[in-house]
């Protein structure tokens, strides 16, 4: 039995296995494979080696699912889909990628794409380079990308409804005729959500509902906030509109431990996805971060239950200035905070009034 192209979105555990974040500071030159895909999805996919070392032969895998399909799956089959089957990667389309020199790009056109008949709906594709994480890379956090494809429902010509009773004054319907039914048109709506890629915090990939640890070199500021105990970390989140209408303008709010940290205004066309950049303000220790899409429900959506995303971010050092952060110093090095110099103002001396000389008494 031929495997279907996909059965569902990659589970978080599977993504975590592919998107393993490596430590910083690789001494030797290494390869760096990144997937290539179009938006919206098409037959063209590929892989590029962004590293400084040749990349051995590898595999590119594609996972597809239809949005709203219970239990995942829902993508169509094709007669020649078997050419992309690989027992090592079930429920995926697998493409053999040759050895790539530094900077080299491998392109591939899916031979089955034009033969696939897509029922109306939105389909999400997770595309992974270096499947199985078999190649040591300088950056293991950029092996997966995500895109989508939307097939609009076909447009048909409906029969004209019968005239309502008010259009026929003086007549009464016979008892054998069915009553006239009102026809209500349903307007298309957008549907805003984040992708399964989650977000990037300080340059490292962070899956939703997982734990991300910030490294000292990712901090761009410290001693922030009212109490001077917050660090600033650059971050970004991937958003997409899987609905059937544009979302002209909506808010994206980021909270840390229930406190509003930042709000961004975003617009997404139907089928569009984009990264939204923001600065994350964190405290030392564990931070519960929430990204709320359209928090005040100002956009009428097809699904209002996919607008909240959570992750946990650990900050293993102080943010109040008692630690020198990289690159100024090594992580974990405690130094005394700079002492404020007390400025003593010197007031000008008051002028002294001249005193009158008393007449001397005669001693005679």
């Amino acid at each position: 039995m031929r495997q279907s192209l996909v059965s569902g979105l990659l589970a978080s555990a599977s993504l975590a296995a592919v998107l393993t974040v490596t430590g910083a500071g690789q001494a030797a030159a290494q390869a760096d494979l990144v997937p290539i895909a179009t938006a919206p999805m098409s037959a063209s996919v590929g892989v590029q080696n962004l590293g400084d070392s040749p990349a051995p032969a590898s595999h590119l895998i594609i996972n597809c699912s239809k949005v709203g399909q219970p239990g995942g799956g829902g993508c169509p089959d094709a007669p020649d889909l078997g050419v992309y089957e690989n027992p090592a990667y079930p429920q995926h389309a697998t493409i053999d990628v040759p050895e790539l020199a530094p900077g080299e790009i491998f392109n591939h056109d899916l031979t089955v794409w034009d033969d696939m008949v897509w029922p109306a709906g939105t389909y999400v594709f997770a595309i992974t380079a270096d499947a199985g994480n078999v190649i040591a890379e300088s950056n293991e956090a950029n092996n997966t990308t995500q895109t989508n494809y939307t097939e609009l429902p076909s447009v048909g010509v409906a029969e004209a409804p019968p005239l309502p009773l008010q259009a026929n004054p003086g007549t009464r319907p016979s008892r054998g005729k069915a009553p006239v039914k009102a026809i209500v048109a349903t307007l298309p709506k957008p549907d805003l959500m984040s992708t399964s890629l989650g977000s990037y915090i300080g340059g490292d990939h962070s899956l939703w509902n997982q734990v991300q640890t910030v490294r000292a070199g990712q901090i761009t500021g410290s001693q922030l906030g009212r109490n001077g105990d917050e660090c600033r970390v650059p971050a970004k989140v991937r958003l997409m509109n899987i609905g059937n209408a544009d979302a002209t303008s909506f808010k994206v709010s980021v909270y840390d431990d229930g406190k509003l940290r930042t709000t961004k205004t975003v617009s997404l066309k139907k089928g569009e996805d984009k990264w939204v950049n923001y600065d994350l303000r964190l405290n030392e220790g564990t931070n519960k971060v929430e990204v709320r899409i359209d928090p005040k429900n100002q956009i009428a959506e097809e699904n209002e239950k996919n607008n909240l995303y959570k992750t946990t971010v650990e900050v293993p050092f102080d943010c109040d200035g008692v630690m020198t952060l990289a690159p100024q110093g090594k992580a974990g090095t405690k130094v005394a905070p700079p002492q404020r110099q007390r400025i003593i103002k010197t007031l000008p001396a008051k002028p002294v009034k001249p005193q009158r000389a008393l007449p001397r008494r005669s001693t005679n």
Side-chain angles (χ1 to χ4, degrees), residues 214-223 230-233 315-335:
V214 175
R215 293 182 281 116
Q218 300 170 335
I219 300 298
T220 59
S222 61
Q223 293 181 290
E230 298 176 2
C231 287
R232 180 174 61 241
V233 182
V315 179
F317 40 76
D318 297 323
C319 293
D320 55 7
V322 299
M323 169 174 286
T324 301
L325 302 177
Q328 299 172 346
K330 296 181 179 179
T333 302
K334 297 283 185 176
V335 297

PDB file of all heavy atoms in Angstrom, residues 214-223 230-233 315-335:
ATOM      1  N   VAL A 214      18.260  31.181  27.418  1.00  0.00           N
ATOM      2  CA  VAL A 214      18.937  32.297  26.770  1.00  0.00           C
ATOM      3  C   VAL A 214      20.429  32.238  27.085  1.00  0.00           C
ATOM      4  O   VAL A 214      20.818  32.010  28.232  1.00  0.00           O
ATOM      5  CB  VAL A 214      18.342  33.634  27.245  1.00  0.00           C
ATOM      6  CG1 VAL A 214      19.114  34.814  26.669  1.00  0.00           C
ATOM      7  CG2 VAL A 214      16.875  33.726  26.845  1.00  0.00           C
ATOM      8  N   ARG A 215      21.259  32.438  26.063  1.00  0.00           N
ATOM      9  CA  ARG A 215      22.699  32.504  26.249  1.00  0.00           C
ATOM     10  C   ARG A 215      23.129  33.953  26.443  1.00  0.00           C
ATOM     11  O   ARG A 215      22.484  34.874  25.948  1.00  0.00           O
ATOM     12  CB  ARG A 215      23.411  31.879  25.045  1.00  0.00           C
ATOM     13  CG  ARG A 215      23.168  30.382  24.937  1.00  0.00           C
ATOM     14  CD  ARG A 215      23.917  29.760  23.765  1.00  0.00           C
ATOM     15  NE  ARG A 215      23.225  29.998  22.495  1.00  0.00           N
ATOM     16  CZ  ARG A 215      23.720  30.706  21.504  1.00  0.00           C
ATOM     17  NH1 ARG A 215      24.896  31.272  21.625  1.00  0.00           N
ATOM     18  NH2 ARG A 215      23.049  30.867  20.377  1.00  0.00           N
ATOM     19  N   ALA A 216      24.243  34.149  27.177  1.00  0.00           N
ATOM     20  CA  ALA A 216      24.669  35.500  27.555  1.00  0.00           C
ATOM     21  C   ALA A 216      24.915  36.376  26.336  1.00  0.00           C
ATOM     22  O   ALA A 216      24.601  37.561  26.334  1.00  0.00           O
ATOM     23  CB  ALA A 216      25.932  35.423  28.419  1.00  0.00           C
ATOM     24  N   GLY A 217      25.469  35.807  25.258  1.00  0.00           N
ATOM     25  CA  GLY A 217      25.766  36.597  24.078  1.00  0.00           C
ATOM     26  C   GLY A 217      24.547  37.072  23.322  1.00  0.00           C
ATOM     27  O   GLY A 217      24.678  37.854  22.377  1.00  0.00           O
ATOM     28  N   GLN A 218      23.341  36.608  23.710  1.00  0.00           N
ATOM     29  CA  GLN A 218      22.117  37.003  23.023  1.00  0.00           C
ATOM     30  C   GLN A 218      21.461  38.221  23.647  1.00  0.00           C
ATOM     31  O   GLN A 218      20.441  38.694  23.166  1.00  0.00           O
ATOM     32  CB  GLN A 218      21.135  35.831  23.027  1.00  0.00           C
ATOM     33  CG  GLN A 218      21.669  34.588  22.323  1.00  0.00           C
ATOM     34  CD  GLN A 218      20.793  33.375  22.535  1.00  0.00           C
ATOM     35  OE1 GLN A 218      20.056  33.289  23.523  1.00  0.00           O
ATOM     36  NE2 GLN A 218      20.861  32.420  21.619  1.00  0.00           N
ATOM     37  N   ILE A 219      22.010  38.729  24.732  1.00  0.00           N
ATOM     38  CA  ILE A 219      21.443  39.878  25.431  1.00  0.00           C
ATOM     39  C   ILE A 219      21.894  41.159  24.755  1.00  0.00           C
ATOM     40  O   ILE A 219      23.073  41.343  24.461  1.00  0.00           O
ATOM     41  CB  ILE A 219      21.875  39.882  26.907  1.00  0.00           C
ATOM     42  CG1 ILE A 219      21.396  38.603  27.604  1.00  0.00           C
ATOM     43  CG2 ILE A 219      21.336  41.103  27.623  1.00  0.00           C
ATOM     44  CD1 ILE A 219      19.913  38.448  27.632  1.00  0.00           C
ATOM     45  N   THR A 220      20.974  42.061  24.487  1.00  0.00           N
ATOM     46  CA  THR A 220      21.313  43.348  23.882  1.00  0.00           C
ATOM     47  C   THR A 220      21.168  44.503  24.858  1.00  0.00           C
ATOM     48  O   THR A 220      21.396  45.650  24.481  1.00  0.00           O
ATOM     49  CB  THR A 220      20.428  43.610  22.657  1.00  0.00           C
ATOM     50  OG1 THR A 220      19.043  43.613  23.044  1.00  0.00           O
ATOM     51  CG2 THR A 220      20.657  42.539  21.595  1.00  0.00           C
ATOM     52  N   GLY A 221      20.785  44.228  26.102  1.00  0.00           N
ATOM     53  CA  GLY A 221      20.677  45.279  27.099  1.00  0.00           C
ATOM     54  C   GLY A 221      20.327  44.701  28.451  1.00  0.00           C
ATOM     55  O   GLY A 221      19.691  43.653  28.551  1.00  0.00           O
ATOM     56  N   SER A 222      20.761  45.347  29.520  1.00  0.00           N
ATOM     57  CA  SER A 222      20.455  44.903  30.877  1.00  0.00           C
ATOM     58  C   SER A 222      20.184  46.121  31.741  1.00  0.00           C
ATOM     59  O   SER A 222      20.249  47.268  31.271  1.00  0.00           O
ATOM     60  CB  SER A 222      21.616  44.076  31.449  1.00  0.00           C
ATOM     61  OG  SER A 222      22.795  44.854  31.506  1.00  0.00           O
ATOM     62  N   GLN A 223      19.855  45.878  33.026  1.00  0.00           N
ATOM     63  CA  GLN A 223      19.505  46.934  33.972  1.00  0.00           C
ATOM     64  C   GLN A 223      18.339  47.781  33.459  1.00  0.00           C
ATOM     65  O   GLN A 223      18.310  48.993  33.610  1.00  0.00           O
ATOM     66  CB  GLN A 223      20.714  47.829  34.260  1.00  0.00           C
ATOM     67  CG  GLN A 223      21.835  47.115  35.012  1.00  0.00           C
ATOM     68  CD  GLN A 223      22.999  48.021  35.296  1.00  0.00           C
ATOM     69  OE1 GLN A 223      23.730  48.409  34.399  1.00  0.00           O
ATOM     70  NE2 GLN A 223      23.172  48.380  36.555  1.00  0.00           N
ATOM     71  N   GLU A 230      15.872  43.876  34.447  1.00  0.00           N
ATOM     72  CA  GLU A 230      15.396  43.193  33.246  1.00  0.00           C
ATOM     73  C   GLU A 230      16.477  43.188  32.170  1.00  0.00           C
ATOM     74  O   GLU A 230      17.286  44.118  32.077  1.00  0.00           O
ATOM     75  CB  GLU A 230      14.135  43.866  32.692  1.00  0.00           C
ATOM     76  CG  GLU A 230      12.953  43.839  33.641  1.00  0.00           C
ATOM     77  CD  GLU A 230      11.763  44.604  33.094  1.00  0.00           C
ATOM     78  OE1 GLU A 230      11.863  45.114  31.953  1.00  0.00           O
ATOM     79  OE2 GLU A 230      10.746  44.713  33.794  1.00  0.00           O
ATOM     80  N   CYS A 231      16.474  42.121  31.349  1.00  0.00           N
ATOM     81  CA  CYS A 231      17.342  42.007  30.186  1.00  0.00           C
ATOM     82  C   CYS A 231      16.501  42.126  28.920  1.00  0.00           C
ATOM     83  O   CYS A 231      15.341  41.699  28.893  1.00  0.00           O
ATOM     84  CB  CYS A 231      18.068  40.660  30.168  1.00  0.00           C
ATOM     85  SG  CYS A 231      19.394  40.508  31.386  1.00  0.00           S
ATOM     86  N   ARG A 232      17.105  42.671  27.864  1.00  0.00           N
ATOM     87  CA  ARG A 232      16.427  42.767  26.570  1.00  0.00           C
ATOM     88  C   ARG A 232      16.997  41.703  25.627  1.00  0.00           C
ATOM     89  O   ARG A 232      18.208  41.611  25.424  1.00  0.00           O
ATOM     90  CB  ARG A 232      16.589  44.152  25.967  1.00  0.00           C
ATOM     91  CG  ARG A 232      15.891  44.295  24.611  1.00  0.00           C
ATOM     92  CD  ARG A 232      15.929  45.718  24.085  1.00  0.00           C
ATOM     93  NE  ARG A 232      17.286  46.185  23.888  1.00  0.00           N
ATOM     94  CZ  ARG A 232      17.818  47.224  24.526  1.00  0.00           C
ATOM     95  NH1 ARG A 232      17.096  47.880  25.423  1.00  0.00           N
ATOM     96  NH2 ARG A 232      19.050  47.606  24.288  1.00  0.00           N
ATOM     97  N   VAL A 233      16.094  40.880  25.046  1.00  0.00           N
ATOM     98  CA  VAL A 233      16.482  39.808  24.139  1.00  0.00           C
ATOM     99  C   VAL A 233      15.699  39.976  22.837  1.00  0.00           C
ATOM    100  O   VAL A 233      14.473  40.024  22.860  1.00  0.00           O
ATOM    101  CB  VAL A 233      16.178  38.420  24.749  1.00  0.00           C
ATOM    102  CG1 VAL A 233      16.634  37.312  23.813  1.00  0.00           C
ATOM    103  CG2 VAL A 233      16.835  38.275  26.107  1.00  0.00           C
ATOM    104  N   VAL A 315      16.447  32.406  32.005  1.00  0.00           N
ATOM    105  CA  VAL A 315      17.564  33.348  31.977  1.00  0.00           C
ATOM    106  C   VAL A 315      18.498  32.962  33.124  1.00  0.00           C
ATOM    107  O   VAL A 315      18.198  33.230  34.290  1.00  0.00           O
ATOM    108  CB  VAL A 315      17.082  34.803  32.126  1.00  0.00           C
ATOM    109  CG1 VAL A 315      18.270  35.761  32.127  1.00  0.00           C
ATOM    110  CG2 VAL A 315      16.115  35.161  31.008  1.00  0.00           C
ATOM    111  N   PRO A 316      19.654  32.308  32.844  1.00  0.00           N
ATOM    112  CA  PRO A 316      20.503  31.767  33.908  1.00  0.00           C
ATOM    113  C   PRO A 316      21.531  32.751  34.454  1.00  0.00           C
ATOM    114  O   PRO A 316      22.579  32.339  34.937  1.00  0.00           O
ATOM    115  CB  PRO A 316      21.187  30.588  33.196  1.00  0.00           C
ATOM    116  CG  PRO A 316      21.325  31.046  31.789  1.00  0.00           C
ATOM    117  CD  PRO A 316      20.111  31.907  31.503  1.00  0.00           C
ATOM    118  N   PHE A 317      21.270  34.029  34.372  1.00  0.00           N
ATOM    119  CA  PHE A 317      22.195  35.017  34.910  1.00  0.00           C
ATOM    120  C   PHE A 317      21.410  36.264  35.299  1.00  0.00           C
ATOM    121  O   PHE A 317      20.242  36.415  34.957  1.00  0.00           O
ATOM    122  CB  PHE A 317      23.284  35.371  33.891  1.00  0.00           C
ATOM    123  CG  PHE A 317      22.793  35.488  32.487  1.00  0.00           C
ATOM    124  CD1 PHE A 317      22.085  36.591  32.053  1.00  0.00           C
ATOM    125  CD2 PHE A 317      23.012  34.464  31.582  1.00  0.00           C
ATOM    126  CE1 PHE A 317      21.627  36.687  30.759  1.00  0.00           C
ATOM    127  CE2 PHE A 317      22.539  34.548  30.278  1.00  0.00           C
ATOM    128  CZ  PHE A 317      21.857  35.657  29.872  1.00  0.00           C
ATOM    129  N   ASP A 318      22.087  37.146  36.034  1.00  0.00           N
ATOM    130  CA  ASP A 318      21.432  38.347  36.530  1.00  0.00           C
ATOM    131  C   ASP A 318      21.276  39.382  35.435  1.00  0.00           C
ATOM    132  O   ASP A 318      22.068  39.454  34.505  1.00  0.00           O
ATOM    133  CB  ASP A 318      22.230  38.951  37.691  1.00  0.00           C
ATOM    134  CG  ASP A 318      22.309  38.008  38.878  1.00  0.00           C
ATOM    135  OD1 ASP A 318      21.309  37.324  39.127  1.00  0.00           O
ATOM    136  OD2 ASP A 318      23.364  37.951  39.527  1.00  0.00           O
ATOM    137  N   CYS A 319      20.260  40.202  35.572  1.00  0.00           N
ATOM    138  CA  CYS A 319      20.019  41.279  34.610  1.00  0.00           C
ATOM    139  C   CYS A 319      20.108  42.658  35.267  1.00  0.00           C
ATOM    140  O   CYS A 319      19.826  43.660  34.627  1.00  0.00           O
ATOM    141  CB  CYS A 319      18.640  41.124  33.971  1.00  0.00           C
ATOM    142  SG  CYS A 319      18.475  39.673  32.914  1.00  0.00           S
ATOM    143  N   ASP A 320      20.510  42.684  36.561  1.00  0.00           N
ATOM    144  CA  ASP A 320      20.519  43.965  37.273  1.00  0.00           C
ATOM    145  C   ASP A 320      21.895  44.589  37.360  1.00  0.00           C
ATOM    146  O   ASP A 320      22.125  45.508  38.144  1.00  0.00           O
ATOM    147  CB  ASP A 320      19.950  43.789  38.684  1.00  0.00           C
ATOM    148  CG  ASP A 320      20.672  42.710  39.466  1.00  0.00           C
ATOM    149  OD1 ASP A 320      21.685  42.187  38.966  1.00  0.00           O
ATOM    150  OD2 ASP A 320      20.224  42.398  40.588  1.00  0.00           O
ATOM    151  N   GLY A 321      22.851  44.078  36.563  1.00  0.00           N
ATOM    152  CA  GLY A 321      24.156  44.711  36.498  1.00  0.00           C
ATOM    153  C   GLY A 321      25.223  44.073  37.346  1.00  0.00           C
ATOM    154  O   GLY A 321      26.385  44.480  37.293  1.00  0.00           O
ATOM    155  N   VAL A 322      24.903  43.007  38.130  1.00  0.00           N
ATOM    156  CA  VAL A 322      25.919  42.362  38.958  1.00  0.00           C
ATOM    157  C   VAL A 322      26.643  41.276  38.186  1.00  0.00           C
ATOM    158  O   VAL A 322      27.466  40.569  38.730  1.00  0.00           O
ATOM    159  CB  VAL A 322      25.296  41.769  40.242  1.00  0.00           C
ATOM    160  CG1 VAL A 322      24.667  42.853  41.064  1.00  0.00           C
ATOM    161  CG2 VAL A 322      24.277  40.697  39.895  1.00  0.00           C
ATOM    162  N   MET A 323      26.329  41.114  36.901  1.00  0.00           N
ATOM    163  CA  MET A 323      27.056  40.173  36.048  1.00  0.00           C
ATOM    164  C   MET A 323      27.427  40.889  34.762  1.00  0.00           C
ATOM    165  O   MET A 323      26.618  41.579  34.173  1.00  0.00           O
ATOM    166  CB  MET A 323      26.217  38.934  35.731  1.00  0.00           C
ATOM    167  CG  MET A 323      26.806  38.044  34.646  1.00  0.00           C
ATOM    168  SD  MET A 323      25.881  36.522  34.431  1.00  0.00           S
ATOM    169  CE  MET A 323      26.397  35.641  35.879  1.00  0.00           C
ATOM    170  N   THR A 324      28.663  40.692  34.343  1.00  0.00           N
ATOM    171  CA  THR A 324      29.090  41.229  33.068  1.00  0.00           C
ATOM    172  C   THR A 324      28.658  40.285  31.979  1.00  0.00           C
ATOM    173  O   THR A 324      29.014  39.110  31.988  1.00  0.00           O
ATOM    174  CB  THR A 324      30.614  41.407  33.041  1.00  0.00           C
ATOM    175  OG1 THR A 324      30.988  42.290  34.094  1.00  0.00           O
ATOM    176  CG2 THR A 324      31.065  41.992  31.712  1.00  0.00           C
ATOM    177  N   LEU A 325      27.867  40.761  31.017  1.00  0.00           N
ATOM    178  CA  LEU A 325      27.316  39.910  29.977  1.00  0.00           C
ATOM    179  C   LEU A 325      28.265  39.863  28.797  1.00  0.00           C
ATOM    180  O   LEU A 325      28.963  40.817  28.490  1.00  0.00           O
ATOM    181  CB  LEU A 325      25.953  40.440  29.541  1.00  0.00           C
ATOM    182  CG  LEU A 325      24.922  40.558  30.661  1.00  0.00           C
ATOM    183  CD1 LEU A 325      23.650  41.155  30.103  1.00  0.00           C
ATOM    184  CD2 LEU A 325      24.664  39.214  31.290  1.00  0.00           C
ATOM    185  N   ALA A 326      28.291  38.708  28.107  1.00  0.00           N
ATOM    186  CA  ALA A 326      29.092  38.580  26.892  1.00  0.00           C
ATOM    187  C   ALA A 326      28.564  39.567  25.847  1.00  0.00           C
ATOM    188  O   ALA A 326      27.381  39.866  25.811  1.00  0.00           O
ATOM    189  CB  ALA A 326      29.029  37.154  26.362  1.00  0.00           C
ATOM    190  N   PRO A 327      29.419  40.177  24.996  1.00  0.00           N
ATOM    191  CA  PRO A 327      30.841  39.857  24.842  1.00  0.00           C
ATOM    192  C   PRO A 327      31.748  40.642  25.769  1.00  0.00           C
ATOM    193  O   PRO A 327      32.958  40.574  25.644  1.00  0.00           O
ATOM    194  CB  PRO A 327      31.108  40.225  23.377  1.00  0.00           C
ATOM    195  CG  PRO A 327      30.184  41.377  23.140  1.00  0.00           C
ATOM    196  CD  PRO A 327      28.957  41.091  23.948  1.00  0.00           C
ATOM    197  N   GLN A 328      31.193  41.414  26.726  1.00  0.00           N
ATOM    198  CA  GLN A 328      32.039  42.190  27.617  1.00  0.00           C
ATOM    199  C   GLN A 328      32.769  41.306  28.618  1.00  0.00           C
ATOM    200  O   GLN A 328      33.805  41.664  29.131  1.00  0.00           O
ATOM    201  CB  GLN A 328      31.185  43.211  28.369  1.00  0.00           C
ATOM    202  CG  GLN A 328      30.488  44.200  27.431  1.00  0.00           C
ATOM    203  CD  GLN A 328      29.523  45.066  28.175  1.00  0.00           C
ATOM    204  OE1 GLN A 328      29.177  44.784  29.319  1.00  0.00           O
ATOM    205  NE2 GLN A 328      29.078  46.141  27.543  1.00  0.00           N
ATOM    206  N   GLY A 329      32.217  40.153  28.919  1.00  0.00           N
ATOM    207  CA  GLY A 329      32.847  39.260  29.873  1.00  0.00           C
ATOM    208  C   GLY A 329      32.307  37.869  29.707  1.00  0.00           C
ATOM    209  O   GLY A 329      31.414  37.624  28.913  1.00  0.00           O
ATOM    210  N   LYS A 330      32.822  36.913  30.416  1.00  0.00           N
ATOM    211  CA  LYS A 330      32.370  35.542  30.310  1.00  0.00           C
ATOM    212  C   LYS A 330      31.100  35.341  31.120  1.00  0.00           C
ATOM    213  O   LYS A 330      30.956  35.909  32.200  1.00  0.00           O
ATOM    214  CB  LYS A 330      33.451  34.589  30.816  1.00  0.00           C
ATOM    215  CG  LYS A 330      34.720  34.619  29.962  1.00  0.00           C
ATOM    216  CD  LYS A 330      35.747  33.638  30.499  1.00  0.00           C
ATOM    217  CE  LYS A 330      37.012  33.660  29.636  1.00  0.00           C
ATOM    218  NZ  LYS A 330      38.028  32.714  30.166  1.00  0.00           N
ATOM    219  N   ALA A 331      30.190  34.508  30.575  1.00  0.00           N
ATOM    220  CA  ALA A 331      28.953  34.222  31.299  1.00  0.00           C
ATOM    221  C   ALA A 331      29.287  33.567  32.621  1.00  0.00           C
ATOM    222  O   ALA A 331      30.099  32.655  32.708  1.00  0.00           O
ATOM    223  CB  ALA A 331      28.058  33.311  30.471  1.00  0.00           C
ATOM    224  N   GLY A 332      28.654  34.034  33.689  1.00  0.00           N
ATOM    225  CA  GLY A 332      28.890  33.457  35.004  1.00  0.00           C
ATOM    226  C   GLY A 332      29.926  34.214  35.800  1.00  0.00           C
ATOM    227  O   GLY A 332      30.206  33.876  36.950  1.00  0.00           O
ATOM    228  N   THR A 333      30.563  35.247  35.236  1.00  0.00           N
ATOM    229  CA  THR A 333      31.580  36.006  35.939  1.00  0.00           C
ATOM    230  C   THR A 333      30.911  37.108  36.734  1.00  0.00           C
ATOM    231  O   THR A 333      30.256  37.985  36.176  1.00  0.00           O
ATOM    232  CB  THR A 333      32.582  36.617  34.945  1.00  0.00           C
ATOM    233  OG1 THR A 333      33.157  35.561  34.180  1.00  0.00           O
ATOM    234  CG2 THR A 333      33.674  37.366  35.682  1.00  0.00           C
ATOM    235  N   LYS A 334      31.063  37.067  38.032  1.00  0.00           N
ATOM    236  CA  LYS A 334      30.461  38.072  38.892  1.00  0.00           C
ATOM    237  C   LYS A 334      31.426  39.237  39.070  1.00  0.00           C
ATOM    238  O   LYS A 334      32.612  39.043  39.347  1.00  0.00           O
ATOM    239  CB  LYS A 334      30.133  37.483  40.271  1.00  0.00           C
ATOM    240  CG  LYS A 334      29.105  36.359  40.231  1.00  0.00           C
ATOM    241  CD  LYS A 334      27.720  36.894  40.051  1.00  0.00           C
ATOM    242  CE  LYS A 334      26.685  35.781  40.127  1.00  0.00           C
ATOM    243  NZ  LYS A 334      25.322  36.286  40.052  1.00  0.00           N
ATOM    244  N   VAL A 335      30.961  40.414  38.914  1.00  0.00           N
ATOM    245  CA  VAL A 335      31.766  41.599  39.141  1.00  0.00           C
ATOM    246  C   VAL A 335      30.945  42.572  39.962  1.00  0.00           C
ATOM    247  O   VAL A 335      29.715  42.517  39.988  1.00  0.00           O
ATOM    248  CB  VAL A 335      32.202  42.266  37.811  1.00  0.00           C
ATOM    249  CG1 VAL A 335      33.075  41.340  37.008  1.00  0.00           C
ATOM    250  CG2 VAL A 335      30.999  42.705  37.022  1.00  0.00           C
TER     251      VAL A 335
END
